[in-house]
Amino acid sequence: DPRAALGADSKALWAAGRRVAMLHSLWILAATFFTVLTYVFVKWVPPQYEIWDIFFVRSCYMAFFAVLMAAAAKTPLKTKIPKAHIGRAICGMLALLINIVTVQHLQIGTAETLFYTMPLFVSLFVIIEKMRLGERTDWVLVGSVLCGFAGICMVLQPSCGSHELPYAVLAVLSAILAAGSAMFLKRLGAAGEPIFRTVFWFSAASLVISAVAEAFLSSAAMKDLFTDPMLFAVGICTMGAQLAQTLGWGRGRPLLCACLQFSAILFAVFFGWLFFDEKLESFATVGIVIIIAAELAAAVIGLRSRARRGSSA
């Protein structure tokens, strides 16, 4: 029966497509590896360079990557929703700046664990929005978020002394700002903005703001900024993370990508132990496990909810 053969071929193609998507999802592991490695090099940047110097160098490499990708994809850069791009840029840049500061003053495992609580705050924003609109509340999601916040408290309690606590609070603030950036990204995606256009405008805004800050607040010479090996490594790792993240989220399976991105916490703890002899208290380790479990649960619930809405539509 030709129809039966066609059906079998279609199923084989569908299964092959799923396998390819799963392989592309593994790019997220490379993205988290390069992201954490970026902050390892940030901690190794010589003390004569300030936060503005690191921010400027990262922005230059990000802008270079964005221009290359937009040109390769032949993506038009004109946008009809500049306010969403501006909101995303403000939240994203502040989160990036604060994260650089916290990594310099906290254990890298603690700093990145707190930063990667961002999905919990995204889930919290979604819960608040549903309550405001009078929609049905997913109490399993609420429970996951509450467990995640309990894990945050467990990480903070033994890991941060009194002199480190302000930086730990800043790390949580960075996660909140990153969650705000993610909500703007959600709005941009719903409006049909191509990913390379979104990356370009964020990179352009970062480059402009960091260049102004560099001009007025830094005394470093441009030649030194782009010849220092640690700053060069920061820039290259930034580009590697951006490329891997684009390939993973652009071609992979959303649920698997969402789960794999939490590998950043494991990389951060491992690199902290390997390069800086950082050790977490057992209480904090339990807190990290709770945070990862809560974020995985929130990601699964959120993506399945979106899938159900899509199928019903």
Side-chain angles (χ1 to χ4, degrees), residues 150-151 153-159 280-288 290:
C153 294
M154 293 178 71
V155 171
L156 288 175
Q157 183 70 28
S159 300
L280 292 176
E281 300 282 345
S282 56
F283 197 61
T285 304
V286 173
I288 289 175
I290 291 174

Side-chain angles (χ1 to χ4, degrees), residues 87-205:
R88 189 261 166 137
I90 292 172
C91 291
M93 283 188 291
L94 287 173
L96 176 61
L97 274 169
I98 294 172
N99 203 28
I100 292 172
V101 174
T102 56
V103 165
Q104 290 178 323
H105 292 87
L106 294 175
Q107 289 189 10
I108 191 170
T110 302
E112 290 304 282
T113 296
L114 294 176
F115 177 74
Y116 273 90
T117 58
M118 177 265 289
L120 294 177
F121 289 103
V122 172
S123 300
L124 179 62
F125 292 161
V126 170
I127 291 168
I128 293 172
E129 182 66 13
K130 283 187 174 184
M131 288 181 173
R132 188 181 69 83
L133 296 174
E135 297 180 6
R136 186 176 65 87
T137 302
D138 191 329
W139 292 107
V140 178
L141 180 60
V142 174
S144 299
V145 172
L146 291 176
C147 287
F149 289 140
I152 293 174
C153 294
M154 293 178 71
V155 171
L156 288 175
Q157 183 70 28
S159 300
C160 303
S162 57
H163 65 289
E164 294 178 331
L165 189 58
Y167 296 106
V169 173
L170 281 176
V172 176
L173 175 60
S174 178
I176 295 172
L177 288 166
S181 177
M183 297 303 286
F184 280 111
L185 279 173
K186 183 179 178 182
R187 188 181 304 176
L188 288 165
E193 285 287 91
I195 184 170
F196 291 122
R197 183 187 298 162
T198 302
V199 171
F200 172 82
W201 284 114
F202 174 72
S203 301

